[in-house]
Amino acid sequence: SKIENPITLQATIVKMLRLQQLTDSMELIGDNRISSKIDVLKELLIKLAAESKVIIYTKFEKFSRILERELAPYHPLLITGAVNNRQEVIDKFNQDNEHKVCIFTDAGAYGLNLQYQCSAIVFMDTPFSIGKSTQAIGRIHRIGQEKPVLVYYLIAEKTIDRHIRNILAKKQELENLILTWND
């Protein structure tokens, strides 16, 4: 009966988003700059950015700005809903080797083609949908891609990240079962 109350449902969704923000960086909620995910990302980028360009996805625009600041040595480019010149940013990313990282929010997940310059994707927070992940990966994994595409999900253990990942794994199992049932 509690779920029928729209206010309760709305509060639950907001709490889930806040929990996800906390797993990304304490700075999203307060003044503390602690983020184990950013620390892990920096270690990962040492190898990845030496070999290829990297796309980093987050659903939070404020977190994308934090990433832009923290990853300054890689001269990151940023595509959020506030960017009007997406194609100019992509052209710069594809043509200029100084820019090793491009940070996307959901605004960068659709309608872009990056397979020629990039072969790694890092999801800082897990999308709530398998389709969103597939769409984001599809930006660089297309016909013409010559390198293997590496996909990383940074998941904080014992958090909402792990819970969402488990739900998505169950959904994927069900989808696979349904799609192969007729075979």
Side-chain angles (χ1 to χ4, degrees), residues 44-54 74 97 100-101 120:
L44 188 60
L45 283 177
I46 291 169
K47 180 180 181 211
L48 290 178
E51 297 171 4
S52 177
K53 294 190 177 196
V54 180
Y74 298 99
N97 281 332
K100 292 293 194 175
V101 170

Side-chain angles (χ1 to χ4, degrees), residues 54-57 118-123 136-138 140 149-152:
V54 180
I55 299 293
I56 300 171
Y57 280 100
C118 182
S119 62
I121 303 171
V122 180
F123 287 93
I137 294 166
I140 65 169
V149 175
L150 304 173
V151 180
Y152 297 88

Side-chain angles (χ1 to χ4, degrees), residues 162-180:
R162 175 54 61 196
H163 182 67
I164 291 168
R165 197 73 190 139
N166 289 342
I167 290 170
L168 290 176
K170 289 177 186 175
K171 283 183 177 181
Q172 187 69 57
E173 284 177 32
L174 181 61
E175 178 184 312
N176 291 342
L177 214 140
I178 290 169
L179 292 177
T180 58

Side-chain angles (χ1 to χ4, degrees), residues 44-139:
L44 188 60
L45 283 177
I46 291 169
K47 180 180 181 211
L48 290 178
E51 297 171 4
S52 177
K53 294 190 177 196
V54 180
I55 299 293
I56 300 171
Y57 280 100
T58 179
K59 69 178 75 156
F60 304 111
E61 183 172 354
K62 186 176 178 183
F63 189 46
S64 71
R65 304 277 178 202
I66 293 168
L67 289 168
E68 182 180 36
R69 178 193 72 218
E70 293 294 320
L71 303 177
Y74 298 99
H75 307 282
L77 296 168
L78 186 63
I79 294 183
T80 67
V83 172
N84 293 326
N85 57 345
R86 290 183 340 152
Q87 193 55 52
E88 287 177 30
V89 173
I90 294 305
D91 290 344
K92 194 173 190 178
F93 180 66
N94 283 334
Q95 296 165 5
D96 189 343
N97 281 332
E98 177 185 45
H99 302 286
K100 292 293 194 175
V101 170
C102 195
I103 303 164
F104 286 4
T105 60
D106 286 344
Y110 306 101
L112 300 175
N113 190 350
L114 302 161
Q115 83 261 21
Y116 299 111
Q117 291 297 324
C118 182
S119 62
I121 303 171
V122 180
F123 287 93
M124 295 303 291
D125 33 66
T126 305
F128 287 120
S129 156
I130 296 167
K132 278 196 173 199
S133 297
T134 303
Q135 180 73 18
I137 294 166
R139 297 300 99 216

Side-chain angles (χ1 to χ4, degrees), residues 14-29 35 59-63 125 160-161:
V14 169
K15 286 177 185 176
M16 283 181 58
L17 286 172
R18 292 287 180 254
L19 287 171
Q20 253 194 326
Q21 287 176 322
L22 280 172
T23 64
D24 284 348
S25 174
M26 302 280 289
E27 190 175 351
L28 289 170
I29 304 296
S35 174
K59 69 178 75 156
F60 304 111
E61 183 172 354
K62 186 176 178 183
F63 189 46
D125 33 66
I160 191 77
D161 277 354

